[in-house]
């Protein structure tokens, strides 16, 4: 008998190393995506506020990013099936990179609306392909942990993004140039190191609409967290800078305060994911929703962000527990659709509340929505797919 690993063992070890490398490259990609969104929302909101744009129009302009994201979700599954994971991630990165370069070159409400649409399309492509890839390569026993680490990475980027506000003192182009450089490095990494793989084919004869409907019927409770997370994220990062300026905060103070919601989510993301692996996804979602809702009403930002900062990844993990494997791509589209829808609605509603002088309503409404979600969990029971 010869020493060392057998051929099958060496092949398995090689596959594991490749999966691990792919996972960490996707982590780097999603950190960059989080940075871009975390930077663009407050920076552009502040610049438009300083130009005298109304808060309602400011909120609608911010929603353009998520309109683009929403549009991309309608075609994401088919595009992914046609070109594969690597090409879709690379295309999304390239689109965001070009848009970042153009922001300081094409100032103004109309131009930024169009560029935000393009960023939304690119970010949606990145997130859809990356999160589904991670979901499919992760064993069920570690799904909560690995998806939470993935969510933490996005949250890390999103939380650090607002710090780029301080770069404005070096000129309008400075924050955009910094993120564009990072995207360039990530694009090179993806092009050189990620394998070119494709998702499994959907069952023959079952249309996309049918698979969406089945996903909803089997896992509606697991798909709602993406809607609430998108609403919270976009609302806070678009409306809070305007609210802060109107109550006397400086841009540097806003840059320091805004990351607290994300930092709270980072601290609890991994523990909540691991607890969901151990105690069940539904119990942790109910607890986080009810607790986060109360925290938004009583202690905004850090405490609330900690409890609901992992909502997207927990919901997607729960959907993967409930649904058969062939429905996971469709469920991922639905989650992305919900996230985009919530992100479109959030800045608009928050902008109207600010317009009518009720800045605290942004937090009160968030609290009510999360509490309702927690209560809805008592009505949900997973059932076997048909």
């Amino acid at each position: 008998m010869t020493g060392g690993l057998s051929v099958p063992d060496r092949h398995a070890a090689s596959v594991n190393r490749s999966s691990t490398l792919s996972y960490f490259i996707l982590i780097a990609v999603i950190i960059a995506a989080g940075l871009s969104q975390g930077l663009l929302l407050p920076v552009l909101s502040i610049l438009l506020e300083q130009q005298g744009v109304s808060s309602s129009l400011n909120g609608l302009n911010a929603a353009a990013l998520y309109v683009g994201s929403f549009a991309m979700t309608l075609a994401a599954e088919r595009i992914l099936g046609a070109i594969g994971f690597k090409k879709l991630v690379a295309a999304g990165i390239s689109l965001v990179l070009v848009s970042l370069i153009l922001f300081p070159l094409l100032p103004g409400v109309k131009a930024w609306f169009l560029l935000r649409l393009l960023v939304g399309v690119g970010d949606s492509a990145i997130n859809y392909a990356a999160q589904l890839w991670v979901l499919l390569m992760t064993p069920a026993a570690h799904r909560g942990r690995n998806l939470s680490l993935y969510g933490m990475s996005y949250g890390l980027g999103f939380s650090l993004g607002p710090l780029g506000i301080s770069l404005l003192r070096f000129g309008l182009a400075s924050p955009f140039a910094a993120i564009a450089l990072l995207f360039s490095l990530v694009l090179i990494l993806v092009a050189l190191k990620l394998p070119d793989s494709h998702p499994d084919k959907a069952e023959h004869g079952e249309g996309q609409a049918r698979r969406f409907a089945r996903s909803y019927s089997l896992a509606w409770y697991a798909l709602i967290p993406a809607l609430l997370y998108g609403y919270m994220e976009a609302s806070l990062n678009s409306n809070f800078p305007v609210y802060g300026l109107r109550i006397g905060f400086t841009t540097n103070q806003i840059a320091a305060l805004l990351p607290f919601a994300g930092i709270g989510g980072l601290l609890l993301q991994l523990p909540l994911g691991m607890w969901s692996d151990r105690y069940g996804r539904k119990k942790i979602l109910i607890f986080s929703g009810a607790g986060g809702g109360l925290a938004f009403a009583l202690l905004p930002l850090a405490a609330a962000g900690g409890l609901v900062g992992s909502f997207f990844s927990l919901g997607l993990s729960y959907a993967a527990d409930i649904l058969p494997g062939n429905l996971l791509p469709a469920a991922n589209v639905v989650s992305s659709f919900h996230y985009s829808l919530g992100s479109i609605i959030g800045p608009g509603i928050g902008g109207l509340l600010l317009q009518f002088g009720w800045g605290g309503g942004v937090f009160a409404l968030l609290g009510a929505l999360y509490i309702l979600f927690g209560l809805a969990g008592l009505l949900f029971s997973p059932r076997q797919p048909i």
Side-chain angles (χ1 to χ4, degrees), residues 68-142:
S69 180
F70 172 81
M72 181 61 193
T73 61
L74 301 178
E77 188 179 10
R78 290 180 181 176
I79 295 174
L80 177 63
I83 68 175
F85 288 105
K86 176 178 178 175
K87 291 185 178 68
L88 186 54
V89 170
I93 294 171
S94 300
L95 191 54
V96 176
L97 174 59
V98 171
S99 301
L100 287 168
I101 294 170
L102 291 176
F103 269 110
L105 301 177
L106 301 172
V109 175
K110 292 181 180 179
W112 285 356
F113 185 89
L114 293 174
L115 290 174
R116 278 172 148 168
L117 282 173
L118 295 178
V119 171
V121 171
D123 271 338
S124 181
I126 294 168
N127 280 288
Y128 176 76
Q131 71 197 16
L132 180 58
W133 205 349
V134 169
L135 192 65
L136 292 175
M137 73 170 66
T138 299
H142 302 298

Side-chain angles (χ1 to χ4, degrees), residues 47-62:
L47 292 174
L48 290 174
E49 171 72 8
Q50 291 174 344
Q51 292 172 20
V53 175
S54 69
S55 59
S56 57
L57 182 57
N58 201 330
L60 289 173
N61 195 271

Side-chain angles (χ1 to χ4, degrees), residues 19-71:
S19 296
T20 301
L21 177 61
S22 297
Y23 178 77
F24 283 108
I25 291 174
L26 293 174
I27 292 295
V29 168
I30 209 62
I31 289 174
L35 274 167
S36 70
Q37 289 203 28
L39 172 76
L40 287 177
L41 284 169
V43 164
L44 295 178
S45 291
I46 286 172
L47 292 174
L48 290 174
E49 171 72 8
Q50 291 174 344
Q51 292 172 20
V53 175
S54 69
S55 59
S56 57
L57 182 57
N58 201 330
L60 289 173
N61 195 271
L65 187 149
Y66 300 103
V67 173
S69 180
F70 172 81

